[in-house]
Amino acid sequence: MDTVNSVLSNRRLARTNCSRVNRSVVASILLIVVSMYWSLTSHAQSQIACPTPSFSAATNIAAGLWPSAIIVADFNRDGKLDLVVAVRGETTNEVGVFLGDGQGGFGQRTYFPVGLSPRKIAVGDFNCDGKPDIVTPNTTSNNVSILLNTCGR
């Protein structure tokens, strides 16, 4: 706060004939900048590099026959990351959605049919409603499947 007061009492600032309101705006901006700086530097210090990567034991989730692609997004807008898997089976060609529990676990899959042999997945808000939608290119049926997210409708 002493730094803010010294900046506010600077003669250059006084010569600009700033009103009391303008000085309080300047003080607020300075406080925001200082708090952002401290927040960023303390966060950076908590992100210490790990010299050797380590992971917990693998958790395997049954995804179906020949899962070919996976992507992560928050599809049900609960703040927890969910998984989407493209499955290109002999009789099924689907996209499976696994809702995340926020602790590294995932619930039962919900499948949505798509074209034949989905190989990749992309996510975007294709209809501008603020929800992540899914698109897959389907190599055998030579088309693209677009799944618009209807969560909350």
Side-chain angles (χ1 to χ4, degrees):
M1 194 64 174
D2 290 332
T3 304
V4 173
N5 287 332
S6 67
V7 169
L8 289 177
S9 65
N10 187 322
R11 290 184 181 182
R12 287 186 188 174
L13 202 62
R15 276 189 257 148
T16 62
N17 293 326
C18 291
S19 69
R20 188 174 287 264
V21 172
N22 287 341
R23 285 183 180 214
S24 75
V25 169
V26 171
S28 298
I29 291 171
L30 284 171
L31 286 173
I32 290 170
V33 169
V34 168
S35 65
M36 286 175 58
Y37 170 78
W38 285 111
S39 173
L40 290 174
T41 55
S42 65
H43 178 70
Q45 291 171 356
S46 69
Q47 301 295 320
I48 298 172
C50 183
T52 306
S54 63
F55 298 92
S56 65
T59 301
N60 296 312
I61 301 170
L65 187 60
W66 299 330
S68 59
I70 189 165
I71 200 158
V72 178
D74 182 14
F75 290 97
N76 60 347
R77 302 184 320 177
D78 64 354
K80 301 169 188 165
L81 292 177
D82 309 313
L83 300 178
V84 176
V85 180
V87 179
R88 54 182 190 96
E90 289 181 12
T91 58
T92 61
N93 294 279
E94 304 165 319
V95 171
V97 177
F98 298 83
L99 298 179
D101 64 10
Q103 307 213 348
F106 295 90
Q108 294 294 317
R109 65 183 179 253
T110 304
Y111 278 110
F112 301 92
V114 294
L116 301 177
S117 298
R119 301 284 179 142
K120 307 282 184 201
I121 303 172
V123 171
D125 185 10
F126 303 119
N127 57 351
C128 300
D129 64 355
K131 302 173 196 171
D133 305 311
I134 301 169
V135 62
T136 64
N138 309 302
T139 57
T140 302
S141 57
N142 295 318
N143 62 12
V144 173
S145 296
I146 300 169
L147 300 169
L148 298 177
N149 188 340
T150 59
C151 181
R153 283 192 187 159

